Amino acid sequence: MLTLYWSPQTRAARVVWMLEELGEPYQLRHVDIRNPNASRSDEFLQASPMGKVPALVDGEAKLSESAAICLYLADRYSNAKLAPAPDDSSRAPYLYWMFFVPSVMEPAFAEKFGQTTPNRQAHGWGDFDSMINVLRCGVAKGRWLLGERFTAADVLVGSTAYFLRTLDAMPADTAIDAYVDRCLERPAYQRAIQNDSDEVNRRDLGSS
Ligand SMILES: N[C@@H](CCC(=O)N[C@@H](CS)C(=O)NCC(=O)O)C(=O)O
């Protein structure tokens, strides 16, 4: 059984969506990240040396970083067809979007809302407005980032865009709004969002 180290209302929600899309059985292990003095299990820290959620344990495989986890799961559980095969040319845009979230979306967002000075040429993520423009073009091409095919890249990009929307940090944009709405229509995403709020209310899971 897959184990996801998780905390409510965090980036772990992305991986819950991914797991729901896969349809593989999994269990959540709560990590009390809001209490720095709470103990952390050895297994959690082996999977997540930074002590952050999400972290995944799948037998001998242990890893953290939400993008790495989604890449791992899509390849490891390939029956769900959430990743193009290495010899498929659409693997190239797939990888681009998988890396776009941690390499561009996240730092551009942190820069803008941390009110630090943008430097489009020097910073690897460009700046927030450039990031939004690239995202707008990417989601305007088809139903999903790779056209008709939904992949793990949509889990990462869609959940991050939705997160920005919930913070009122996403500029109004017809194409991005419609894309996020399409993501929200997916039953797996609805289950993941529901689970997150159920667990917020219950808080009865085992701790790390
Ligand atoms: N780059 C990481 C970021 C993970 C992250 O920052 N997680 C936050 C919650 S959203 C966390 O665990 N914070 C607690 C801490 O740093 O102690 C990823 O994408 O998984």
Side-chain angles (χ1 to χ4, degrees):
M1 158 104 62
L2 292 155
T3 300
L4 180 68
Y5 285 93
W6 164 97
S7 189
Q9 295 173 327
T10 65
R11 290 171 179 85
R14 295 171 175 170
V15 180
V16 176
W17 179 13
M18 182 72 194
L19 289 163
E20 290 289 337
E21 293 283 353
L22 286 182
E24 294 290 328
Y26 65 93
Q27 60 181 351
L28 299 179
R29 297 282 294 167
H30 179 237
V31 181
D32 189 1
I33 58 160
R34 285 147 184 119
N35 175 5
N37 299 320
S39 67
R40 307 280 191 251
S41 71
D42 288 346
E43 183 181 70
F44 169 62
L45 292 173
Q46 283 163 15
S48 179
M50 295 282 285
K52 287 177 174 282
V53 294
L56 183 81
V57 175
D58 181 16
E60 293 297 306
K62 300 180 175 67
L63 76 165
S64 52
E65 291 300 328
S66 53
I69 294 171
C70 290
L71 264 169
Y72 167 84
L73 287 170
D75 288 345
R76 170 71 182 79
Y77 297 94
S78 54
N79 285 348
K81 301 195 182 314
L82 292 175
D87 61 354
D88 181 333
S89 61
S90 62
R91 182 85 177 175
Y94 168 74
L95 289 175
Y96 173 78
W97 289 112
M98 292 299 278
F99 280 77
F100 189 71
V101 169
S103 308
V104 180
M105 286 184 84
E106 292 239 3
F109 165 70
E111 177 182 86
K112 182 165 176 84
F113 295 97
Q115 296 178 337
T116 52
T117 310
N119 186 337
R120 193 192 171 323
Q121 286 180 314
H123 294 164
W125 53 90
D127 57 27
F128 187 81
D129 292 345
S130 311
M131 178 274 282
I132 292 294
N133 284 337
V134 171
L135 178 64
R136 177 185 298 120
C137 293
V139 300
K141 284 183 187 155
R143 185 164 176 75
W144 306 113
L145 291 165
L146 300 191
E148 283 308 300
R149 180 172 180 186
F150 179 86
T151 67
D154 295 297
V155 172
L156 274 183
V157 172
S159 57
T160 308
Y162 175 56
F163 173 68
L164 293 180
R165 180 198 278 189
T166 61
L167 295 184
D168 275 337
M170 181 61 82
D173 181 88
T174 315
I176 297 175
D177 281 348
Y179 172 73
V180 172
D181 288 344
R182 284 194 291 280
C183 290
L184 289 168
E185 281 165 12
R186 293 187 72 84
Y189 201 13
Q190 289 173 12
R191 286 194 299 276
I193 291 170
Q194 188 61 51
N195 286 350
D196 206 58
S197 78
D198 288 350
E199 299 305 350
V200 171
N201 294 331
R202 276 208 303 269
R203 300 286 178 91
D204 62 350
L205 298 166
S207 73
S208 65

